[in-house]
Amino acid sequence: RFYHHNKEVLLISILRRLALSTALIYVRSRQRAERLSDLLNKASIDCQFYHAGLSVAEKSARLKYFVTAAHPVMVCTSAFGMGIDRADVRAVIHYDIPESVEQYYQEIGRAGRDQNRAHAILLSEREKVTGFAQKAEFEIQTVESLYSAYKKLVALFQIAEGELPKEPFLLSLSQTAIKFDLKVHQWYSMLRSLEKYGIIYWSETRKTEWMVTFDSDRFGSRDRESDDALFRSLSKARNKAKSERFIFNFSSSILLKAAESAARRKKIQLEKIDDLFQINLATPREDQYVHNLLIKNHGPYVSLKKERALSMQQFLLDTDNCAMQHISTYFGQHSEACGICDYCDPKTPSEAELLTFCSTPRSINDCLATFECSPQELIKSLESLVEDRTLALNAEAKFHTL
């Protein structure tokens, strides 16, 4: 458990110390997987990234790389790892805090399956550790947030109480997220949860739709023959949508060309939509039934998520006991001290080692890159030597002997 504000420096230092080693680096978002992989490659650490958003061909290529490369480094989300049986993984590094002790224990179990020495390292900032449970609770979808998402859907599609439309509705994930002032991943997760509880069902569609912004006054004069048909079609769609901004399916290439021409002349605004989904209600609209269903099924899930987040935070903060004993106790088991975790074997450098190293002025990053102990232990030792006046900090914030 390594806690320091500069996780990037820590990660690069660790990977360089573990040169020519197979490593898994777990993160909690697709964007972070891509960004961190790019950062490591720029630091001359060859690696690739993996997440659920990759195409089938890309996933296959990344999997082949991890299985066949001599010493692969993979930055990945939790989508990677299940069924991956590579015995010589030397390090599992959590760049982000896992959601639960269960997830953490499962993922670190992918290291050292060949029974040789391996490392399980968790990187974080101290403030994120102390606030982890509170942040996780804030991010959990509550019963009321899911019910609100359901009410937004039925209002958007103008579905009356007791009604069950036969035809599916088209929904743009990004456009509706903007409309409801939500992040796309939040809105997506909410819809998936509604599907999980049998409230809606949905599927992707390959149809091409357009978001049109149409104001008859702004459209102005119809100075081209094609403008007349376009004006009539968009006026009808606007009246049906009861909004100047609506999704429109151009039934012919002629009408689409007319719209593109009008957009170039600033008569309308035209945006192509490529994240369309077909949405159906699974049952007739019954608001009270849906609310009760969410209370019954999602309520216990929310409680469990909160409990797991709190347990994860307690594990992160318990630096006064063996890490593996803490995990064993969590699972209701008893074990002896492991002898190798950051509590049992902190690997704190001796005073002599630090003084020798700092005989030449050294930055904190130099120290982190050299010594294997946790940053918190290293900083504690350095500060102790500064207090004893055997070390000092110069104007460049480097430690040096006195």
Side-chain angles (χ1 to χ4, degrees):
R1 292 165 287 189
F2 283 19
Y3 304 146
H4 190 256
H5 67 276
N6 198 334
K7 293 197 299 180
E8 293 177 355
V9 168
L10 273 179
L11 179 62
I12 291 170
S13 299
I14 290 166
L15 291 174
R16 284 177 176 162
R17 280 204 303 271
L18 298 174
L20 302 179
S21 295
T22 299
L24 287 169
I25 304 167
Y26 280 103
V27 296
R28 288 183 64 174
S29 74
R30 300 176 184 183
Q31 184 179 22
R32 175 125 43 208
E34 296 180 15
R35 186 189 65 78
L36 194 56
S37 174
D38 183 57
L39 174 81
L40 294 177
N41 278 299
K42 287 178 179 176
S44 301
I45 297 172
D46 181 49
C47 70
Q48 293 193 19
F49 66 85
Y50 187 102
H51 56 64
L54 297 175
S55 68
V56 173
E58 288 172 322
K59 288 178 181 177
S60 178
R62 306 291 163 91
L63 178 59
K64 183 178 179 180
Y65 157 79
F66 186 75
V67 172
T68 62
H71 306 292
V73 175
M74 184 69 76
V75 184
C76 53
T77 63
S78 57
F80 188 81
M82 295 297 289
I84 304 301
D85 189 17
R86 178 154 184 159
D88 65 341
V89 176
R90 297 273 67 84
V92 171
I93 301 171
H94 283 90
Y95 193 80
D96 293 327
I97 300 174
E99 292 184 1
S100 65
V101 176
E102 287 86 350
Q103 180 184 347
Y104 175 71
Y105 187 63
Q106 180 188 62
E107 289 171 351
I108 64 173
R110 291 165 188 154
R113 291 181 177 177
D114 57 1
Q115 305 305 309
N116 291 320
R117 182 178 175 83
H119 302 266
I121 301 168
L122 192 152
L123 308 179
S124 188
E125 297 95 334
R126 171 63 69 174
E127 59 270 20
K128 287 191 175 180
V129 171
T130 54
F132 178 73
Q134 184 177 5
K135 184 175 184 292
E137 183 174 345
F138 176 77
E139 292 176 344
I140 293 171
Q141 299 165 7
T142 64
V143 167
E144 294 308 318
S145 67
L146 286 186
Y147 182 61
S148 175
Y150 166 77
K151 292 295 292 286
K152 284 180 170 66
L153 271 184
V154 294
L156 178 69
F157 298 138
Q158 300 178 345
I159 302 172
E161 185 79 13
E163 181 184 0
L164 179 61
K166 294 181 180 179
E167 296 298 319
F169 294 95
L170 288 176
L171 177 141
S172 163
L173 200 64
S174 59
Q175 294 293 338
T176 48
I178 292 170
K179 179 181 178 68
F180 299 139
D181 194 26
L182 294 167
K183 293 181 179 178
V184 173
H185 73 87
Q186 290 177 315
W187 182 228
Y188 176 85
S189 182
M190 287 175 172
L191 294 175
R192 281 300 186 201
S193 293
L194 292 177
E195 181 185 46
K196 180 174 71 173
Y197 297 125
I199 296 167
I200 65 170
Y201 55 92
W202 68 334
S203 62
E204 293 186 53
T205 175
R206 295 189 179 276
K207 291 183 179 180
T208 299
E209 301 284 334
W210 299 83
M211 179 62 69
V212 177
T213 303
F214 170 70
D215 179 352
S216 57
D217 292 334
R218 182 178 177 182
F219 194 92
S221 61
R222 284 164 265 173
D223 44 22
R224 297 190 183 183
E225 185 177 342
S226 60
D227 286 347
D228 281 326
L230 178 65
F231 186 90
R232 290 193 299 271
S233 296
L234 295 185
S235 294
K236 184 177 179 180
R238 182 199 59 193
N239 293 337
K240 183 178 180 181
K242 298 179 181 178
S243 171
E244 292 180 352
R245 187 172 170 82
F246 50 87
I247 294 176
F248 190 81
N249 181 359
F250 290 96
S251 56
S252 70
S253 59
I254 294 174
L255 198 61
L256 176 57
K257 287 180 180 178
E260 291 172 336
S261 171
R264 286 193 294 271
R265 288 175 284 144
K266 309 298 183 184
K267 289 179 173 289
I268 64 171
Q269 292 180 21
L270 196 62
E271 303 167 52
K272 189 174 183 179
I273 301 174
D274 55 9
D275 63 345
L276 280 177
F277 292 85
Q278 292 188 144
I279 304 282
N280 291 79
L281 287 191
T283 61
R285 175 183 174 181
E286 293 183 39
D287 293 357
Q288 192 59 53
Y289 165 78
V290 168
H291 195 237
N292 291 339
L293 182 69
L294 291 172
I295 291 172
K296 178 181 178 182
N297 294 295
H298 191 65
Y301 171 79
V302 170
S303 299
L304 179 62
K305 292 279 281 187
K306 289 180 180 179
E307 290 172 9
R308 287 183 170 178
L310 182 59
S311 295
M312 188 67 208
Q313 178 173 299
Q314 290 169 343
F315 167 69
L316 296 171
L317 293 175
D318 184 11
T319 54
D320 295 326
N321 293 286
C322 169
M324 290 311 298
Q325 279 187 322
H326 185 113
I327 291 175
S328 295
T329 301
Y330 175 79
F331 287 115
Q333 300 173 355
H334 173 74
S335 70
E336 300 298 323
C338 68
I340 58 173
C341 70
D342 51 7
Y343 171 77
C344 294
D345 184 17
K347 295 184 174 60
T348 307
S350 67
E351 178 179 327
E353 287 175 315
L354 286 174
L355 291 175
T356 300
F357 183 68
C358 293
S359 59
T360 300
R362 306 286 188 174
S363 69
I364 184 63
N365 288 345
D366 294 332
C367 298
L368 290 172
T370 303
F371 299 105
E372 197 176 343
C373 66
S374 69
Q376 54 270 31
E377 286 296 322
L378 180 59
I379 291 170
K380 189 188 302 181
S381 297
L382 290 169
E383 289 176 344
S384 176
L385 292 177
V386 170
E387 287 180 8
D388 293 343
R389 298 185 181 278
T390 51
L391 279 184
L393 274 172
N394 65 18
E396 296 177 328
K398 290 186 176 182
F399 293 94
H400 62 93
T401 53
L402 292 174

